[in-house]
Every structure is written in structure tokens, then in C-alpha cells.
Amino acid sequence: MITLRPMTEKDLPLTLAWRSIPKVYAGLYTQSHENRPLKWEEHQRWFKTRDTWQLFIIMYDGWDSDSNRPVGWLNIGQLDHWRPEIGIGIGEVGLWGKGIAKQALNLALDWLKDGEYNYTHTTILDNNTASIKLFESVGYKKIGPARPGESWYYLPLEERKR
């Protein structure tokens, strides 16, 4: 089972460790272009400047010794906008492909729907086929280019797939 809990400043060392894994930061726009992990100060600044965002830690409640542990993060940005943006990362790369990201994404979409939002969007690196597949699986449609090497995806929440 997957749950989301609010991210706190105490989560920064763990999230920075995840964002320092080359396989993870290959899917993050700025880090992938610079091909380097973030510095501590950059990571702290990122966290402290997200005052209009909801930041979550993805918790995995497995059926074995891995029960109820943090495995990734999920951001819902631009909450002051009519079309919030979702970003997601699974930092525990050994759990990739297990459906955790899809469960977390569905929880985020429920959260937005409960908050009476009607639309959401995301941007995904064009070479990040796993993220493209994930977002398209719940109904996101590619709209067009965003930044170089990245595309914009859009989802009216009433068109969401389960």
C-alpha cells in the first residue's frame, strides 16, 4: 500500500540522497542537463522556495521488512494556478517498475480533485520513457514542447483513467 505524507525539512537529507543517484537525476530537467547531483544549498533553496507547492513523501507499506518506509517524493506545484503541475520521483531504484509511482500519482490526482481543481499538467524529458508511460497510463496527453528536450502533458481530471 502507498500513502503520501507531507515532506518536512527533516526529509531533505534523504531526498537529496535520492536526487544524487545518476539514474534518478537523469529524469530531472536541470540535473540531467548539468549531469550532476545537487549541492546541499541548492536542495535547501529548492525546498524553501516552494511555498505555493504541496510536497509529499511517498510511503511504502509493504508486506515484509520494508514496511512503511519512504521510497520517493511527489510534488504538486503551482497551487495558486488553475492548472497545478505534478512531479514524481522514486528514489529507491530497486522498487522501480512495481507500480508505486502510479499509485502515488493516483493519490495526488485524488487530492487535486478533492481540492476542486479541474486540470493538471506536467513536463517530462523526451527520453524519460518510464515517466511518459506512467503519466499517459492515467490519461495525460502530450500537448507539445516545453523546454528543449522536454514535452508538456495535460490532463483534465474528468478524463482521468484508473
Side-chain angles (χ1 to χ4, degrees):
M1 183 169 108
I2 300 302
T3 57
L4 301 177
R5 70 159 173 80
M7 183 187 295
T8 69
E9 200 160 350
K10 290 179 182 178
D11 295 308
L12 291 181
L14 179 58
T15 54
L16 179 61
W18 289 332
R19 293 178 72 183
S20 297
I21 300 168
K23 284 176 127 178
V24 173
Y25 70 69
L28 305 174
Y29 185 83
T30 300
Q31 285 181 260
S32 67
H33 282 71
E34 296 176 4
N35 194 28
R36 67 170 180 87
L38 290 177
K39 295 179 180 147
W40 176 250
E41 297 77 22
E42 294 171 313
H43 189 54
Q44 281 184 309
R45 187 171 42 255
W46 170 85
F47 178 78
K48 291 179 180 180
T49 58
R50 298 302 184 255
D51 55 343
T52 62
W53 291 42
Q54 182 65 52
L55 305 173
F56 293 103
I57 293 293
I58 301 167
M59 299 296 292
Y60 172 65
D61 186 11
W63 51 90
D64 55 19
S65 62
D66 291 331
S67 287
N68 204 29
R69 67 183 178 113
V71 296
W73 72 92
L74 187 140
N75 313 320
I76 305 176
Q78 303 171 359
L79 289 168
D80 55 343
H81 194 274
W82 65 278
R83 194 174 48 222
E85 180 176 13
I86 295 179
I88 190 168
I90 303 300
E92 299 296 326
V93 297
L95 294 175
W96 285 7
K98 307 275 188 216
I100 292 170
K102 186 168 184 176
Q103 289 178 56
L105 180 55
N106 274 309
L107 290 173
L109 295 172
D110 290 343
W111 189 89
L112 285 169
K113 190 73 170 165
D114 290 346
E116 300 185 5
Y117 290 94
N118 296 314
Y119 304 92
T120 179
H121 77 277
T122 193
T123 55
I124 304 172
L125 292 172
D126 295 331
N127 64 358
N128 190 340
T129 56
S131 286
I132 292 167
K133 182 179 174 184
L134 166 66
F135 281 87
E136 287 181 342
S137 76
V138 297
Y140 281 79
K141 302 266 190 283
K142 183 176 178 178
I143 299 300
R147 298 175 286 192
E150 180 182 60
S151 293
W152 183 52
Y153 293 78
Y154 181 71
L155 174 66
L157 289 174
E158 72 270 4
E159 295 178 17
R160 172 185 174 193
K161 302 175 197 170
R162 285 276 177 173

